[in-house]
Amino acid sequence: MSSFPQPASVNSKSDVRSFFDAFATRNYERHGSAEEELRRRVEILDRTVGFEASDVVLDLGCGDGKHLRAVADRIDRGIGVDFAPNMIDTARRRTRHASLSYRVDDAEALATIDEASVDVVICTGVLEHVLDPARVFAAVRRVLRPGGRFAALTLNGRYWWYRLADRLGIPTRHLSTDRRLRPGEAARLARASGLRVRTETWGFVPRGDLWTGIATCCRVLDAAGRYVLPATLRGGLVVAAYHPRPPAHTERDEGSLPAVA
């Protein structure tokens, strides 16, 4: 039986860095089969941004680099950035693809990434941990080329379990500063940065952080959420966006952003 997470006290970016540095060498997936969960996340990212052979892909909060390694043979070049130096060291040790590189950088600044230099930005399980998500969206827009695509997989702030747990005083956060964006809030932040955006839900069930009975209930309701009340019954949020081209070019309609299953 799993147990509810006890949030680590965080007061600064240094605290966040230390927390994730401590996890750098642990290769496990709390919420299901590591292989299956990775496959599922990569499929969602691919449906959202459509990886292409000419793409330069930036992975924000890349961790040990597993998402970039999973798509390395389908893109031109990949860059992984992470706030935690130990994570970057682990990613470099585990990567054998010459087309992938890693560097320490802050997702809120992306100081090591040139303006308009990447085609795709992906971000998985990171937005809930950053202290200022508005700065992340602004940084993403800066580094994306016009027409570039962005996909972030994060937690859904409207998820029924998180809302109920908050009311009951049940801990669901890993860091005391963790936040769960609601779809409307995420869309507003992205638009404020100049990105065109839409949001979808995906079937994330935090099984590793739940008692067995609650996890089973979440899985059943997640299945129902494919058809009814997805913004309430599904635990994952997908932020799908792109950097619009200058007016002289034909811009993609926001409604043309791919749907996520």
Side-chain angles (χ1 to χ4, degrees):
M1 180 174 68
S2 298
S3 59
F4 299 117
Q6 296 301 316
S9 178
V10 171
N11 297 302
S12 66
K13 285 187 176 183
S14 178
D15 292 340
V16 176
R17 181 188 295 113
S18 297
F19 179 87
F20 286 103
D21 263 338
F23 282 89
T25 58
R26 304 182 192 180
N27 186 21
Y28 68 95
E29 170 64 55
R30 288 181 56 86
H31 307 299
S33 161
E35 183 176 326
E36 176 62 20
E37 291 301 308
L38 175 61
R39 182 193 63 79
R40 219 162 52 94
R41 290 191 296 264
V42 170
E43 284 183 355
I44 294 169
L45 292 171
D46 194 17
R47 284 197 297 269
T48 305
V49 300
F51 294 114
E52 298 176 358
S54 60
D55 281 340
V56 176
V57 176
L58 173 65
D59 185 359
L60 301 189
C62 65
D64 70 358
K66 57 181 173 290
H67 295 98
L68 278 182
R69 290 195 297 274
V71 301
D73 294 334
R74 300 156 56 189
I75 63 176
D76 180 55
R77 185 161 58 92
I79 304 167
V81 299
D82 201 285
F83 197 40
N86 289 352
M87 285 290 191
I88 292 300
D89 290 343
T90 300
R92 287 169 175 160
R93 287 197 302 271
R94 293 178 177 175
T95 296
R96 297 294 180 267
H97 296 85
S99 60
L100 303 183
S101 63
Y102 302 93
R103 59 191 72 171
V104 177
D105 204 343
D106 183 349
E108 295 181 19
L110 298 180
T112 68
I113 308 298
D114 291 337
E115 181 175 350
S117 63
V118 301
D119 303 289
V120 173
V121 178
I122 59 175
C123 178
T124 304
V126 174
L127 283 180
E128 58 264 36
H129 300 306
V130 299
L131 300 183
D132 190 346
R135 294 189 62 189
V136 175
F137 286 110
V140 167
R141 187 190 187 282
R142 181 183 65 80
V143 303
L144 274 177
R145 293 174 177 138
R149 297 95 70 200
F150 173 53
L153 275 60
T154 186
L155 303 179
N156 176 14
R158 290 188 59 191
Y159 187 39
W160 73 272
W161 165 246
Y162 292 141
R163 294 164 68 187
L164 177 62
D166 285 348
R167 288 186 180 184
L168 296 177
I170 297 173
T172 58
R173 292 170 171 81
H174 290 270
L175 300 178
S176 59
T177 53
D178 280 354
R179 60 186 297 173
R180 300 181 290 265
L181 295 175
R182 295 191 174 207
E185 181 185 7
R188 285 192 297 273
L189 290 172
R191 291 189 181 110
S193 74
L195 295 170
R196 297 290 178 87
V197 64
R198 64 180 283 183
T199 60
E200 301 280 351
T201 58
W202 67 289
F204 172 72
V205 176
R207 286 179 284 180
D209 298 331
L210 301 173
W211 290 336
T212 302
I214 297 176
T216 300
C217 180
C218 287
R219 287 198 297 270
V220 170
L221 291 176
D222 173 74
R226 290 176 174 268
Y227 310 102
V228 295
L229 301 175
T232 299
L233 299 181
R234 310 200 85 192
L237 176 67
V238 181
V239 183
Y242 71 96
H243 182 170
R245 298 180 186 277
H249 296 270
T250 300
E251 294 186 4
R252 294 167 60 178
D253 191 304
E254 180 179 323
S256 70
L257 286 166
V260 176

